[in-house]
Amino acid sequence: MTLSLPHHYREILKGLGEDPEREGLLDTPKRAAKAMQYLCHGYEQNLEEIVNGALFASDNDEMVILKDIELYSLCEHHLLPFIGKAHVAYIPTGRVLGLSKLARIVDMFARRLQIQENLTRQIADAIQDVTQASGVAVVIEAKHMCMMMRGVEKQNSTMNTSVMLGAFRESNTTRMEFLQLIGRSK
């Protein structure tokens, strides 16, 4: 028999020395379980459903960029949030992806237990798989509560990760254009 997620939160409260029967905590196990399921709903999604056929013929072969995509994820090491933004770009080869799909791809992978390095790679690979672009670039900058609330307690640190595929990896000029357009290059 599998125990329910709320039961496990109840046990965590007990393990912390709390009384799960006190007024303020009576519904906390249910609320916490519901919140965790929402925060991790990316496991219930897949790329095909997210894209939903939103690829459109286009003669454009110039860089497409969507920047400042908010993201919220949970560190797989501590189950604490990391919060930031993603900047994504691709160079189309005959087809463009519906704009909102880029943000949905970011969300699908962010709403799983993650480390930022893997999240960046997963987003880039997914966009490459869907678009067959000649290049894909993803930069993520995020603040990690596991660094801010515990451990070294560094409040102003931001982690930056990037993945460059195809033309963004092969051409310094293309990479620099992307970084300048998202404001990350001097």
Side-chain angles (χ1 to χ4, degrees), residues 69-122:
I69 306 166
E70 303 97 13
L71 68 86
Y72 309 92
S73 195
L74 291 175
C75 162
E76 68 183 35
H77 299 140
H78 303 99
L79 299 183
L80 290 173
F82 63 94
I83 300 165
K85 53 189 169 180
H87 313 288
V88 301
Y90 68 101
I91 300 172
T93 54
R95 299 184 308 168
V96 293
L97 182 61
L99 186 60
S100 71
K101 303 309 180 182
L102 293 169
R104 292 180 192 279
I105 290 169
V106 169
D107 284 345
M108 179 182 74
F109 289 110
R111 293 303 187 156
R112 300 174 182 188
L113 300 180
Q114 284 288 7
I115 62 172
Q116 185 174 328
E117 299 90 336
N118 291 349
L119 174 60
T120 310
R121 170 60 66 176
Q122 290 165 357

Side-chain angles (χ1 to χ4, degrees), residues 55-71:
L55 279 167
F56 308 102
S58 174
D59 292 336
N60 180 42
D61 62 357
E62 297 293 329
M63 193 180 304
V64 175
I65 300 173
L66 184 59
K67 61 186 243 181
D68 297 327
I69 306 166
E70 303 97 13
L71 68 86

Side-chain angles (χ1 to χ4, degrees), residues 45 68 85 91 116 122 144 164-165 178 180:
Q45 298 176 309
D68 297 327
K85 53 189 169 180
I91 300 172
Q116 185 174 328
Q122 290 165 357
H144 291 251
M164 306 288 167
L165 303 176
F178 167 66
Q180 286 173 346

Side-chain angles (χ1 to χ4, degrees), residues 35-61:
M36 185 60 78
Q37 288 169 326
Y38 179 79
L39 294 173
C40 294
H41 73 265
Y43 291 115
E44 300 166 8
Q45 298 176 309
N46 68 60
L47 196 53
E48 186 176 313
E49 289 171 356
I50 292 290
V51 172
N52 195 25
L55 279 167
F56 308 102
S58 174
D59 292 336
N60 180 42
D61 62 357

Side-chain angles (χ1 to χ4, degrees), residues 105-183:
I105 290 169
V106 169
D107 284 345
M108 179 182 74
F109 289 110
R111 293 303 187 156
R112 300 174 182 188
L113 300 180
Q114 284 288 7
I115 62 172
Q116 185 174 328
E117 299 90 336
N118 291 349
L119 174 60
T120 310
R121 170 60 66 176
Q122 290 165 357
I123 293 166
D125 288 344
I127 293 169
Q128 178 63 47
D129 288 347
V130 168
T131 64
Q132 298 300 304
S134 63
V136 174
V138 177
V139 169
I140 294 178
E141 50 190 272
K143 291 189 172 283
H144 291 251
M145 297 303 123
C146 58
M147 284 253 319
M148 296 170 72
M149 296 175 65
R150 56 159 301 283
V152 296
E153 297 184 24
K154 298 302 176 203
Q155 304 307 305
N156 297 306
S157 61
T158 301
M159 182 175 180
N160 291 284
T161 51
S162 70
V163 171
M164 306 288 167
L165 303 176
F168 291 97
R169 185 176 198 83
E170 296 157 7
S171 168
N172 189 48
T173 304
T174 303
R175 182 173 45 259
M176 291 309 296
E177 178 184 353
F178 167 66
L179 294 173
Q180 286 173 346
L181 288 169
I182 65 168

